[in-house]
Amino acid sequence: MRKTFFLAAGLLFSVSAQSQILDAIKSTVKSQTGIDLNNPKKNTTSTTTSTSTQSSTSSSVNLNNLTSTQISSGLKEALNLGVTEGVKKLGVTDGFLKNEAVKILMPEKLRVIDTKLRAFGLGSLADQGVKLLNRAAEDAVTESAPIFTKAITSMTITDAKNILLGGDNAATNYLQGKTQSQLFTAFQPKVKASLGKVGADKVWTNLISKYNTLTGQAVSTDLNEYVTNETINGVFKMVAEKESGIRNNSVMRTTSILQKVFGAQDGK
């Protein structure tokens, strides 16, 4: 009987001691970290849910405050700014040539010419050929602004919200996809005139002729088509750069419509 009594007492003491030790551990954790081990998830879950709900509501409210017309106007204004600034930067001496992002290189299928001419000590002729391709683009692009502006003005954005909430270059990519062929048709005559104006056509005729004579081959390329595409792509790269800046930097939103529209997309 006495053994049973002492055994029960020992168990009770052990349980009591463990409980006291556990309480001490919980108290220490709470004082050191602020975490209540008796209820560790309640506050975190509540805060997360509340924040998530608030963020979702804010994003929805911001977009619902905009009309499709406002979104379309904001996107078009961003594209117009990109075109205007892009053309201004590219349409000067070395605007293409000294800008590695848009510099026009020798056509890919003719790059073997560059290697061969340099091997024969005619590197200066190859350099002159590339330089004049860029000079032609710099000359032609100054007349391209109205073409791009017309394309932007006539653009119908039926999925305006999707474009607004798209990637950094969503509007630029949309515009390029919709207008590339029309822009090429309108722009090609201007490039052709510029190739003649800066003398690129004659230099390239001489360059290819020398290569064919030295190698016994007969290569040719449509420089007009090549430079037209590269010039258009160069402008679109500048437009994309501007669009990305407006989307990600509020300082670049210099008008009320840009601030309103792209301010809304900040919460996407």
Side-chain angles (χ1 to χ4, degrees):
M1 182 69 177
R2 292 181 64 185
K3 287 183 178 180
T4 303
F5 174 78
F6 284 120
L7 178 61
L11 290 173
L12 287 173
F13 176 79
S14 176
V15 171
S16 176
Q18 290 178 6
S19 177
Q20 290 177 1
I21 292 171
L22 182 59
D23 287 341
I25 292 173
K26 289 180 178 179
S27 176
T28 300
V29 170
K30 185 173 182 179
S31 65
Q32 294 295 322
T33 68
I35 298 175
D36 185 354
L37 294 178
N38 289 321
N39 190 15
K41 296 183 178 180
K42 183 176 180 180
N43 291 338
T44 301
T45 302
S46 175
T47 302
T48 301
T49 302
S50 175
T51 302
S52 175
T53 302
Q54 182 178 0
S55 176
S56 175
T57 303
S58 176
S59 176
S60 176
V61 170
N62 284 341
L63 287 181
N64 288 336
N65 282 339
L66 297 174
T67 66
S68 294
T69 300
Q70 287 175 323
I71 293 174
S72 177
S73 297
L75 292 172
K76 288 180 180 180
E77 181 154 336
L79 291 171
N80 269 315
L81 281 174
V83 166
T84 301
E85 292 187 15
V87 168
K88 184 178 180 180
K89 290 179 180 178
L90 296 175
V92 296
T93 300
D94 291 334
F96 272 87
L97 187 63
K98 295 295 178 68
N99 185 337
E100 292 300 322
V102 298
K103 179 181 178 179
I104 300 176
L105 304 176
M106 192 171 286
E108 187 172 356
K109 71 176 184 177
L110 298 184
R111 285 176 194 170
V112 65
I113 294 179
D114 184 272
T115 302
K116 290 291 185 182
L117 290 177
R118 293 184 190 282
F120 285 108
L122 297 173
S124 60
L125 180 60
D127 291 338
Q128 181 71 356
V130 170
K131 178 180 178 179
L132 289 178
L133 292 184
N134 286 274
R135 288 288 182 263
E138 291 158 6
D139 181 69
V141 78
T142 58
E143 299 184 49
S144 70
I147 299 173
F148 284 99
T149 300
K150 183 179 179 180
I152 294 170
T153 303
S154 62
M155 178 182 60
T156 301
I157 305 182
T158 56
D159 52 350
K161 284 188 178 181
N162 289 333
I163 292 176
L164 178 62
L165 295 179
D168 282 357
N169 305 331
T172 304
N173 292 338
Y174 178 88
L175 176 63
Q176 186 167 11
K178 292 292 184 181
T179 64
Q180 180 85 20
S181 60
Q182 298 96 308
L183 285 169
F184 181 89
T185 299
F187 199 41
Q188 192 174 30
K190 298 184 184 302
V191 171
K192 184 177 181 179
S194 292
L195 285 169
K197 181 179 178 180
V198 301
D201 52 353
K202 293 180 180 179
V203 168
W204 269 84
T205 297
N206 182 38
L207 186 153
I208 293 175
S209 176
K210 283 187 179 297
Y211 173 79
N212 290 340
T213 299
L214 291 169
T215 63
Q217 298 184 24
V219 300
S220 63
T221 189
D222 187 342
L223 284 182
N224 189 17
E225 178 180 352
Y226 174 69
V227 175
T228 297
N229 279 324
E230 291 298 296
T231 305
I232 292 173
N233 290 340
V235 176
F236 275 123
K237 284 182 181 179
M238 301 299 284
V239 175
E241 183 180 290
K242 184 67 175 181
E243 180 190 352
S244 178
I246 291 173
R247 283 181 181 273
N248 296 297
N249 187 350
S250 60
V251 175
M252 295 183 68
R253 301 166 192 167
T254 54
T255 65
S256 59
I257 189 65
L258 290 178
Q259 292 164 3
K260 186 176 183 67
V261 171
F262 288 97
Q265 66 97 55
D266 286 343
K268 68 182 179 181

